[in-house]
Amino acid sequence: MLKLIRTFFFVPALLASAFFAAAGHAESYPTKPVTLINFYPAGGVIDIVGRSAAHDLTEILGQKVVVKNISGGVGTIGMAALARKKPDGYTIGFTTEGNLNLQPHRRNTPYDFDSFDYICQLVEFPVVVFARPDAPFSNLEELAEYAKENRIVYGHPGPASLPHLAMEEFFKKTGITTARSLPFRSAAPGVAALKSGNVDLYAAVSSLINTLGDDGRRQIIAVFDEKRLAKAPNAKTAKEQGFDHSAGITFGFVAPKGIPDTAHQKLSSACEQLSQSPGFVKTLEQQLVRSSYTDGPEFLDFLKSSSDKNRALIKEILAE
């Protein structure tokens, strides 16, 4: 009888102890290193920004954040790998918007919006338009006037890439019908074609300015952003030139669907702190990337709304 009474009191106590231990463990997240998957090769601008984020997140979270590069398929291979990871908060991804609002319209991806939890939107790479060195136009108004009687050939880093769509949307808004697209596999051949005059324009992300140097700064005819770039202060935005158009490539943090609420809250708070971290902000300035923090729900809303726009643009481009 005494043994039965002891068991009666011991089992609930054991269960309660296990519950509070689990609760304490959840609230102490993270208790081990966090892996940050970067979906592009090591050494590039995206990798530099991602590693800077991991460095500062290590201090914010109190646990090591380790970068793992899984590239290929324009980012979709790494995204698919992330979607299959255990949703425990210890694996997150630094993703471009295109992996979610663009690539699924171009190929069958083994993931969709419902495959992930959205932590935050973090940064944006503005799209910049460069003109060939001997171009007979130096701004968008002169370009529009020139395009009335002349064919425009513009380069970009790939079919239905975000710079490509940004240019197509701009031409559609301004009524320019003489522009023709010439895709390149990477920025290097595109820049070479621009310098040689084989293309009239080249559209790319702002970080390309660091590669082109002073000559590149002088060749910018528009920045598709709200503000001028710090390293190219003389380059006007499209809006300053009277054209209501902006475009950029946003990046943010996502995780496999179903991570614990405690982990989600801790990561969300860490992301907001990261956006204001002096070291990280300095890296963004050096790489010509703009801080663009929003919380997870707002990031998801942006992705879904821009996905509809991209779908329509891609359909229109493919129909031509």
Side-chain angles (χ1 to χ4, degrees):
M1 181 66 179
L2 181 60
K3 182 178 179 181
L4 181 60
I5 293 174
R6 286 176 178 171
T7 302
F8 177 79
F9 286 106
F10 176 73
V11 173
L14 183 62
L15 292 175
S17 176
F19 172 79
F20 287 115
H25 180 76
E27 290 188 8
S28 63
Y29 169 90
T31 59
K32 61 181 181 179
V34 176
T35 297
L36 173 61
I37 299 180
N38 193 317
F39 307 119
Y40 296 90
V45 174
I46 299 171
D47 185 59
I48 292 172
V49 174
R51 289 181 185 277
S52 177
H55 178 274
D56 285 20
L57 281 175
T58 293
E59 183 174 345
I60 294 169
L61 291 172
Q63 283 287 344
K64 183 72 174 177
V65 178
V66 182
V67 175
K68 181 177 182 180
N69 296 85
I70 304 180
S71 60
V74 201
T76 58
I77 292 177
M79 284 293 284
L82 176 65
R84 294 192 298 267
K85 293 292 183 179
K86 183 179 179 180
D88 56 6
Y90 288 96
T91 305
I92 60 177
F94 182 50
T95 183
T96 170
E97 62 174 283
N99 288 335
L100 289 154
N101 68 7
L102 180 61
Q103 295 305 326
H105 303 314
R106 299 192 61 210
R107 64 193 75 198
N108 291 324
T109 56
Y111 61 82
D112 56 25
F113 284 122
D114 294 331
S115 302
F116 304 99
D117 281 339
Y118 297 83
I119 308 301
C120 73
Q121 175 181 305
L122 188 61
V123 299
E124 181 176 353
F125 290 68
V127 171
V128 177
V129 185
F130 301 87
R132 57 184 169 88
D134 60 343
F137 44 81
S138 59
N139 55 54
L140 294 180
E141 186 176 358
E142 292 176 358
L143 169 66
E145 189 64 28
Y146 178 82
K148 289 180 180 179
E149 298 181 359
N150 298 276
R151 188 181 71 162
I152 297 292
V153 178
Y154 74 95
H156 53 79
S161 62
L162 287 166
H164 181 197
L165 297 185
M167 291 301 291
E168 287 295 321
E169 186 178 10
F170 171 74
F171 292 135
K172 185 177 180 180
K173 284 182 177 179
T174 54
I176 293 176
T177 60
T178 58
R180 296 294 178 266
S181 160
L182 184 60
F184 293 91
R185 293 182 64 86
S186 64
V191 169
L194 184 71
K195 289 181 176 180
S196 65
N198 289 330
V199 294
D200 299 297
L201 304 168
Y202 187 73
V205 293
S206 51
S207 55
L208 185 62
I209 294 172
N210 283 338
T211 301
L212 293 174
D214 291 339
D215 289 340
R217 290 179 179 84
R218 286 189 288 269
Q219 290 172 237
I220 299 173
I221 65 168
V223 178
F224 288 165
D225 198 21
E226 300 296 324
K227 298 180 180 179
R228 297 190 189 190
L229 299 170
K231 286 191 176 182
N234 294 325
K236 293 183 178 181
T237 67
K239 288 188 177 182
E240 287 180 301
Q241 301 180 56
F243 296 85
D244 185 17
H245 185 61
S246 62
I249 304 176
T250 63
F251 281 75
F253 291 141
V254 296
K257 185 71 173 181
I259 65 173
D261 289 343
T262 304
H264 198 299
Q265 293 168 8
K266 192 71 174 285
L267 288 169
S268 297
S269 175
C271 188
E272 185 172 9
Q273 293 177 62
L274 173 64
S275 70
Q276 303 170 33
S277 171
F280 183 64
V281 171
K282 183 178 180 180
T283 297
L284 298 186
E285 292 174 350
Q286 292 172 340
Q287 299 302 322
L288 290 170
V289 183
R290 182 166 63 84
S291 178
S292 180
Y293 170 81
T294 64
D295 63 20
E298 192 171 345
F299 184 31
L300 178 57
D301 287 345
F302 161 75
L303 290 170
K304 287 185 174 180
S305 63
S306 54
S307 178
D308 293 337
K309 181 181 72 174
N310 289 343
R311 182 191 298 111
L313 279 170
I314 291 172
K315 184 177 180 180
E316 186 174 329
I317 292 171
L318 293 178
E320 293 178 353

